[in-house]
Amino acid sequence: MTPTATKPVIVFDVNETLLDMTPLKKAVNALLQEEQGFRIWFGM
């Protein structure tokens, strides 16, 4: 087996930066009947 070179990788979490999560937040909160449902569900 020949050794392979590895290259560094940078990963960015851009979920709420590029996407407007407001409609999803409202839907999850309504579905769970909980004002903080979205935050609880997604651990935010």
Side-chain angles (χ1 to χ4, degrees):
M1 182 180 295
T2 60
T4 58
T6 60
K7 296 181 180 181
V9 175
I10 298 175
V11 178
F12 296 96
D13 178 7
V14 294
N15 238 2
E16 290 188 64
T17 304
L18 299 178
L19 302 173
D20 181 7
M21 303 292 273
T22 304
L24 179 61
K25 179 179 178 179
K26 289 179 181 179
V28 170
N29 288 349
L31 182 66
L32 297 177
Q33 298 177 354
E34 170 65 46
E35 184 68 28
Q36 296 297 314
F38 180 85
R39 292 182 61 81
I40 293 167
W41 185 266
F42 289 98
M44 302 172 113

